[in-house]
Amino acid sequence: MSVHIESPLGFTAEFPPHTQPLDDSTAGPDTEQYGLANGVLVTVIKDDTSVQGAPQANGWAHLMADFYLEDRAGTQLAEGELNLPGKAAYAVVVGYNDAGGNGKVAATVGLWESGRFLGVVVVWPYLDAGVEPRLDILKEIVAGIRVS
């Protein structure tokens, strides 16, 4: 059974079971964060004043990925369109080590749907090079978000 979210940021979502909304987003204003099973963190960002179309949404994904590439000395693992019905969703996926030296994967996604933009950042623990990046996790999460 999925967890239904209705956000004041202008989206609804069907997230996997055991999703927990976090009371205080550490990502700043106009953001919401959700903890999913197995250490997955989802941040949804309302940034529709700076993004006015699908091409700019792609640029947003690259701009946000720069944090993980430069500040976290990460390595780009993948990038491209997620090919989800009814929406344009472009992702840049980066592997990096967190402050404790633990391997993580961060996917920054520019989501354009119904003439509106949302940014999505999904971070999960890195398992091993044979299975990363696990784009199925990313697609499931982003497919569950509907911009209203």
Side-chain angles (χ1 to χ4, degrees), residues 14 23 35 55 57 71 80:
E14 298 296 329
D23 291 332
D71 293 7

Side-chain angles (χ1 to χ4, degrees), residues 15-101:
F15 283 151
H18 310 294
T19 295
Q20 295 293 316
L22 303 181
D23 291 332
D24 295 313
S25 175
T26 59
D30 291 328
T31 67
E32 291 184 5
Q33 290 183 310
Y34 303 91
L36 281 63
N38 301 316
V40 177
L41 176 67
V42 177
T43 304
V44 181
I45 304 155
K46 181 181 178 185
D47 192 10
D48 52 1
T49 57
S50 63
V51 176
Q52 303 299 317
Q56 288 180 342
N58 295 2
W60 185 94
H62 280 281
L63 183 65
M64 293 298 113
D66 283 347
F67 170 77
Y68 298 99
L69 289 167
E70 295 172 9
D71 293 7
R72 303 291 178 157
T75 302
Q76 186 169 318
L77 303 176
E79 77 169 285
E81 180 64 39
L82 295 179
N83 298 315
L84 300 172
K87 59 182 82 181
Y90 189 87
V92 179
V93 183
V94 177
Y96 70 99
N97 289 327
D98 67 11

